[in-house]
Amino acid sequence: MFSFSIYRHLYRCKIESLRYLRLFSCTVPDIDVDYYCNIKNLNEIKNNIEIRKGVGDIDKVLHLYNSLNSSSQCHENLKLDLLKQLSILPNKTHPTVLKYKGEPRIIHEINKKRDFGNHTALEFSDITERLNIMRTDKLGNTCGNKSYYYLGALAELEEALIKYTVSSLLSQNFLLVSVPDILPSKTLESCGMTVNSNRTQIYSLDPTLHGDDKYLSGTAEMSLAGLLSNTTHPVEELPLKLAAVSRCFRAETSNVIEERGIYRVHQFTKVEMFVVSAPDQSDDMLEYLRNIQESLFTPLGFHMRILDMPPHELGAPAYRKYDIEAWMPGRKSFGEISSCSNCTDYQSRRLHIKYKDSNAEFYVHTLNGTACAVPRMLIALLETHQNPKGKVHIPQVLQPFLNCSTEIVKNNKVPKLKLKK
């Protein structure tokens, strides 16, 4: 078994013998059978499943578990069926969140909504068209629907947002990691994503051309979690704070009018935070991630509200999740720009990420948070800081990353697109 710092290469380790591993080999998720298969917890688990979108069947889990334990023979099919059903079950839900009826709780709001007076706020797409700094239509010869080109100042603003965010995270002692965008299904599923289903958000690569089991990552969270799989960390090195800049690929589509334009696209750039902590640290670390997000976004000047999300809005891995929504004046609506989640030991049990304390080993808690999702940040920025003359003011904190430019003006360097018949 290897113990190491975050600056060394990460090695594979043996898994301690637990009750669950008497049923399954150490290459599979170590889901908490003692909790899920204890009849005393049945009502609690059923209620949790019901309020978490009804995903999972605890009755089927118990039936398979009892059948396996009552048999004198080792039935591989029963093992696989039990593992599959256990893997579907959602994480537990924070006791405070259990009290929410169905609507998020607004924790607080940040910055005031801008008063445009007699000026009608334009939408992002209208602003970028006037300034000639983005293309989203007539891209059939290149990348098609739900794609985009940023031109000139908008591309520079994207880079400025990334540099601003990364510099802030480095000042908070995050370790910056450059991550792969192609991952195996096991890593994706261990993080809570669904692959090879009718509703998958994940792009798969053609196995006849690229080999089996290769998928495009939807977020750097998956790569960072995969980096730490099968590792053990000294408790004194926790919390471990990682950050990554990556392209995120999403196969999802939407016809909802509120998600038009670049609000929901097939690929975008994102700065992600990923934290590994001891269990008694994770509640505080979730607040820490949220505070970082608020400190990053507040100087950008747009109006925001911080939401503690109800159970039905939590993905399977999340124990608790905060969303941050920005007011987008041109759209006249709020839009989610960021979230952070405490996944407790949901991911660490599936990826075998542990910590060592007094010669005993325990599963860590994992947390993740979006530090900057570029497209929606751009929407909030341009719609908030537009002026009647067609220019866009650049917030002061971003100006050092843009050669001290104070505004975005019309791009005359790139001609407007003209298609030949």
Side-chain angles (χ1 to χ4, degrees):
M1 178 111 22
F2 291 92
S3 236
F4 45 83
S5 75
I6 59 177
Y7 301 102
R8 300 177 189 165
H9 289 293
L10 306 176
Y11 295 94
R12 197 169 187 82
C13 65
K14 294 180 182 179
I15 306 302
E16 65 179 346
S17 177
L18 300 174
R19 180 181 179 190
Y20 182 56
L21 298 182
R22 292 201 296 267
L23 298 177
F24 300 109
S25 75
C26 66
T27 60
V28 299
D30 184 12
I31 300 172
D32 190 358
V33 172
D34 288 337
Y35 171 75
Y36 286 109
C37 295
N38 187 335
I39 193 68
K40 294 180 181 179
N41 301 323
L42 180 59
N43 289 335
E44 177 183 309
I45 296 170
K46 279 190 170 182
N47 179 62
N48 190 51
I49 290 172
E50 182 179 351
I51 63 176
R52 296 281 292 263
K53 302 179 182 178
V55 177
D57 189 337
I58 189 60
D59 291 326
K60 185 178 289 187
V61 166
L62 292 174
H63 173 73
L64 291 168
Y65 179 76
N66 292 330
S67 298
L68 192 59
N69 279 343
S70 63
S71 174
S72 59
Q73 298 179 344
C74 181
H75 295 284
E76 293 298 325
N77 289 339
L78 275 178
K79 290 182 184 179
L80 293 174
D81 287 345
L82 176 57
L83 175 62
K84 180 180 179 180
Q85 294 302 321
L86 281 167
S87 298
I88 295 172
L89 298 175
N91 198 354
K92 299 174 186 176
T93 304
H94 192 285
T96 300
V97 177
L98 285 172
K99 301 173 185 177
Y100 301 163
K101 294 297 183 181
E103 294 296 323
R105 183 173 72 88
I106 299 177
I107 297 175
H108 57 256
E109 298 186 356
I110 299 174
N111 295 333
K112 294 182 178 180
K113 288 183 182 178
R114 180 183 165 189
D115 183 3
F116 285 85
N118 296 327
H119 170 53
T120 300
L122 298 177
E123 283 198 36
F124 177 80
S125 58
D126 296 323
I127 299 170
T128 55
E129 183 177 2
R130 287 189 178 192
L131 295 176
N132 190 28
I133 54 176
M134 187 179 72
R135 301 256 171 86
T136 58
D137 57 352
K138 301 175 183 176
L139 304 181
N141 294 331
T142 52
C143 45
N145 187 37
K146 289 292 180 181
S147 298
Y148 56 87
Y149 283 89
Y150 296 153
L151 307 174
L154 195 60
E156 293 178 28
L157 184 56
E158 176 182 39
E159 294 300 316
L161 280 169
I162 295 168
K163 291 174 183 176
Y164 162 70
T165 304
V166 169
S167 66
S168 298
L169 296 183
L170 292 177
S171 71
Q172 291 286 332
N173 295 317
F174 278 78
L175 176 68
L176 188 63
V177 182
S178 182
V179 298
D181 293 326
I182 300 175
L183 297 172
S185 59
K186 181 182 177 183
T187 300
L188 303 179
E189 291 172 339
S190 296
C191 291
M193 298 301 296
T194 302
V195 300
N196 296 327
S197 74
N198 292 332
R199 300 189 64 184
T200 183
Q201 298 180 10
I202 302 297
Y203 279 110
S204 60
L205 301 186
D206 188 340
T208 62
L209 298 175
H210 306 293
D212 292 335
D213 201 35
K214 290 183 173 63
Y215 299 83
L216 295 180
S217 175
T219 170
E221 170 199 344
M222 303 172 190
S223 299
L224 294 171
L227 173 69
L228 300 176
S229 63
N230 300 311
T231 62
T232 303
H233 306 261
V235 67
E236 56 270 18
E237 291 185 3
L238 301 181
L240 172 61
K241 303 186 296 185
L242 307 179
V245 182
S246 75
R247 294 293 278 177
C248 302
F249 300 88
R250 308 285 175 89
E252 60 193 340
T253 59
S254 174
N255 293 321
V256 179
I257 188 65
E258 289 81 9
E259 298 182 348
R260 60 194 177 275
I262 66 164
Y263 187 90
R264 188 176 298 280
V265 288
H266 287 318
Q267 71 178 65
F268 59 94
T269 303
K270 179 156 73 81
V271 185
E272 183 76 0
M273 300 179 287
F274 188 79
V275 173
V276 169
S277 79
D280 61 356
Q281 298 173 321
S282 67
D283 283 339
D284 289 340
M285 289 308 300
L286 182 63
E287 302 304 315
Y288 171 73
L289 289 179
R290 196 192 86 202
N291 287 334
I292 286 179
Q293 291 169 328
E294 292 182 15
S295 68
L296 283 168
F297 304 153
T298 299
L300 298 179
F302 41 72
H303 173 64
M304 294 170 285
R305 61 185 184 186
I306 316 302
L307 308 176
D308 195 1
M309 302 307 289
H312 73 276
E313 292 288 352
L314 304 182
Y319 174 68
R320 188 175 196 173
K321 179 168 79 87
Y322 293 120
D323 277 4
I324 298 181
E325 294 184 340
W327 177 251
M328 299 175 176
R331 293 169 175 246
K332 297 179 175 59
S333 64
F334 282 99
E336 180 194 337
I337 59 168
S338 181
S339 67
C340 58
S341 301
N342 182 359
C343 297
T344 63
D345 62 357
Y346 182 97
Q347 295 173 333
S348 63
R349 283 181 169 274
R350 287 159 169 77
L351 291 165
H352 304 294
I353 309 173
K354 297 182 178 182
Y355 72 97
K356 191 172 185 178
D357 187 11
S358 302
N359 296 319
E361 293 183 1
F362 309 92
Y363 284 104
V364 301
H365 281 190
T366 62
L367 305 94
N368 63 82
T370 301
C372 177
V374 171
R376 297 182 187 181
M377 294 287 282
L378 292 177
I379 294 173
L381 280 170
L382 266 65
E383 291 194 0
T384 298
H385 297 297
Q386 61 181 296
N387 70 34
K389 296 182 179 180
K391 300 177 182 179
V392 176
H393 171 71
I394 298 172
Q396 187 173 358
V397 292
L398 295 180
Q399 292 175 14
F401 303 97
L402 288 163
N403 295 321
C404 297
S405 298
T406 60
E407 60 185 12
I408 298 174
V409 298
K410 187 173 182 178
N411 171 30
N412 294 315
K413 294 182 180 180
V414 180
K416 291 197 172 183
L417 185 66
K418 294 182 180 179
L419 291 183
K420 295 183 179 178
K421 295 184 178 180

